[in-house]
Amino acid sequence: MTKNYLEIPEELYNKLSDYAENDQLSIRLENQQILLENPKINHTNKQNLALHYFIVPSLASGIIALLIFLSTNHPQIAFTGGRHLSVASLSIILSTLFGFFGFIWTYLRKSCDLSKSKFKIFRETLTLSVAYTSISFAVQIIFWYIIGKTFSGVTFDPFTAGFLVLVFVGIIFYFLISAALSITLPNLILLLFTTFIGGILVSMATNNQKDWWQHNFSFLGTGEATQHWQFNITLIFSALILLTITDFLFAEFSKSSLYNYKFKIIRVFYILIALLIAFVGIFPAQSWTMPIHNNSAFGLVAVVLIMIIFLKWLVPTISKEFLALSWTALIALTLSAVAFMGIHYLSLTVFEIIAFAIAFTWLVMFINSLRGIIQEGNEWQVKLLQK
């Protein structure tokens, strides 16, 4: 009888032993990848948990909505808008409320690393729950706006309206629970981009009539701007998400043989950058907070420049392509500074946007490069044998 073997390096064998159950592992194919797992781990657990967790809140939301609709004593309930509570408004309120606390409970129960400090777990959980809930809230606002334009004037009896609330809350809640069970570094990077860019664009759009661009980029966070809290909160939460990404990245890096004091320096740089981004939002560009705001903004760019200059020393194995890209970013930042302060070709607003966009994009791309280095350090060559 022919036996088939998989010859693996000793280092990989030692790592797999930590995951094995009685020296056994299960293997499966998924998305063109081969996954080795502890045989007790059921790969459908996350989906089943998401289904299990969302049923009770969905039923509760449907019952609450029905009771509210019946208490209004109106035979017909508006699908969207209307003078009274509608399917849209209750769906948004209940899904946001249940989703926020459901995300926190699920993330704490399934996704937290117990080796982290309680403060980090609290900060991480609160940041992610607010970020994901805010995104779901924004998506619902857009969705119901479109539905309102499409089905203008549509109404339902209270029982049908309550059932519709149950369905819509269930969909949003399932999305949030699934997100809480599937937090990965790529997902966090996407969350950072979504939060930062989305928040900034909303701030720009709401201040269009005030011609904010004639002042400066930081005008969006001042008291003169319309709903300036959006700009400042975006920066603060982007900083918190960046701190969470830093925790995830270097927790993974610390398990690698490549981890040394230079990567600890990079970690300190990222923590400092996150704090500076938060300071830009906490201290708007007005009155006594102006010096702190300006120093934080310039400090952010300065830290990025220092990281680029010492990049080859900090990460000797960095790819030549990313190194060339980094120096291109350095040159672009330098030229934009000269164009603004030297020859006054650029306005303050344009300079701020260019500098912040380059710095932010480079920081995210550097995280991806570090991920690539980690993955390269976790690759081994194996051989198929048949005897």
Side-chain angles (χ1 to χ4, degrees):
M1 178 180 179
T2 302
K3 292 186 176 181
N4 302 315
Y5 298 89
L6 190 66
E7 186 178 83
I8 61 176
E10 184 175 356
E11 182 183 1
L12 175 59
Y13 174 82
N14 294 332
K15 287 184 176 292
L16 291 177
S17 298
D18 297 333
Y19 297 95
E21 180 73 23
N22 297 324
D23 294 330
Q24 290 187 345
L25 289 167
S26 64
I27 187 168
R28 62 188 175 89
L29 300 176
E30 182 177 299
N31 298 326
Q32 297 183 339
Q33 293 180 329
I34 299 176
L35 303 178
L36 285 170
E37 296 177 332
N38 184 308
K40 288 188 175 181
I41 296 178
N42 187 344
H43 67 274
T44 61
N45 274 350
K46 289 184 178 180
Q47 183 177 357
N48 291 338
L49 286 173
L51 287 170
H52 175 71
Y53 290 160
F54 100 105
I55 291 175
V56 174
S58 300
L59 290 173
S61 65
I63 294 172
I64 292 171
L66 176 60
L67 293 175
I68 292 175
F69 290 149
L70 290 174
S71 67
T72 61
N73 294 320
H74 286 276
Q76 292 295 112
I77 304 298
F79 194 27
T80 61
R83 293 180 300 164
H84 309 285
L85 286 175
S86 62
V87 173
S89 61
L90 265 189
S91 295
I92 293 173
I93 293 171
L94 293 175
S95 63
T96 301
L97 184 64
F98 279 114
F100 176 74
F101 290 105
F103 188 101
I104 291 177
W105 185 80
T106 306
Y107 186 76
L108 287 175
R109 185 179 175 87
K110 295 296 177 183
S111 302
C112 275
D113 185 352
L114 297 178
S115 64
K116 296 179 181 177
S117 67
K118 291 183 178 179
F119 174 75
K120 280 187 177 181
I121 292 175
F122 172 78
R123 186 201 70 210
E124 192 176 282
T125 305
L126 186 61
T127 299
L128 293 177
S129 59
V130 171
Y132 274 99
T133 306
S134 299
I135 291 174
S136 69
F137 179 81
V139 170
Q140 288 181 86
I141 293 295
I142 297 172
F143 171 79
W144 285 113
Y145 176 79
I146 296 172
I147 293 297
K149 294 295 183 181
T150 306
F151 298 99
S152 178
V154 173
T155 61
F156 300 98
D157 64 87
F159 291 94
T160 303
F163 176 75
L164 289 174
V165 170
L166 182 153
V167 171
F168 287 117
V169 170
I171 293 172
I172 297 299
F173 199 81
Y174 179 75
F175 160 76
L176 289 171
I177 295 302
S178 298
L181 292 169
S182 307
I183 297 294
T184 60
L185 196 55
N187 290 343
L188 290 177
I189 294 174
L190 179 60
L191 177 65
L192 177 61
F193 260 110
T194 304
T195 302
F196 182 78
I197 296 176
I200 296 298
L201 289 177
V202 169
S203 298
M204 290 180 177
T206 55
N207 286 278
N208 184 47
Q209 293 181 346
K210 292 200 172 186
D211 295 333
W212 63 270
W213 47 270
Q214 293 184 4
H215 302 271
N216 52 58
F217 190 57
S218 299
F219 172 83
L220 296 172
T222 64
E224 299 178 27
T226 303
Q227 297 180 334
H228 58 277
W229 61 270
Q230 293 178 346
F231 180 81
N232 296 326
I233 290 296
T234 294
L235 293 177
I236 294 170
F237 266 96
S238 295
L240 290 172
I241 295 172
L242 184 59
L243 280 176
T244 302
I245 290 174
T246 302
D247 291 340
F248 269 73
L249 176 66
F250 287 95
E252 187 177 355
F253 226 135
S254 62
K255 301 173 184 177
S256 170
S257 58
L258 301 173
Y259 192 67
N260 55 36
Y261 75 95
K262 293 182 181 180
F263 288 105
K264 294 180 181 179
I265 294 175
I266 296 174
R267 183 173 192 168
V268 171
F269 275 137
Y270 266 100
I271 293 174
L272 178 59
I273 287 169
L275 291 175
L276 290 172
I277 293 175
F279 283 170
V280 173
I282 294 172
F283 302 100
Q286 56 190 24
S287 64
W288 66 271
T289 61
M290 180 71 80
I292 303 177
H293 177 91
N294 289 340
N295 289 330
S296 298
F298 284 115
L300 169 63
V301 177
V303 173
V304 172
L305 291 176
I306 292 172
M307 291 177 69
I308 293 175
I309 292 172
F310 292 98
L311 181 60
K312 187 62 179 176
W313 176 77
L314 289 170
V315 191
T317 58
I318 199 75
S319 67
K320 293 181 179 179
E321 292 78 11
F322 185 76
L323 192 60
L325 179 65
S326 300
W327 282 101
T328 302
L330 176 65
I331 294 171
L333 284 171
T334 304
L335 291 177
S336 61
V338 171
F340 165 62
M341 293 182 288
I343 61 177
H344 305 291
Y345 175 74
L346 296 177
S347 66
L348 176 58
T349 303
V350 175
F351 170 67
E352 287 180 325
I353 293 176
I354 291 175
F356 214 78
I358 292 175
F360 181 77
T361 303
W362 184 85
L363 287 171
V364 175
M365 295 181 70
F366 187 34
I367 290 173
N368 278 321
S369 295
L370 292 175
R371 282 187 61 240
I373 293 173
I374 296 174
Q375 291 172 353
E376 289 176 4
N378 289 332
E379 289 183 3
W380 294 271
Q381 297 296 321
V382 300
K383 184 183 295 183
L384 294 173
L385 301 175
Q386 193 175 67
K387 292 183 180 179

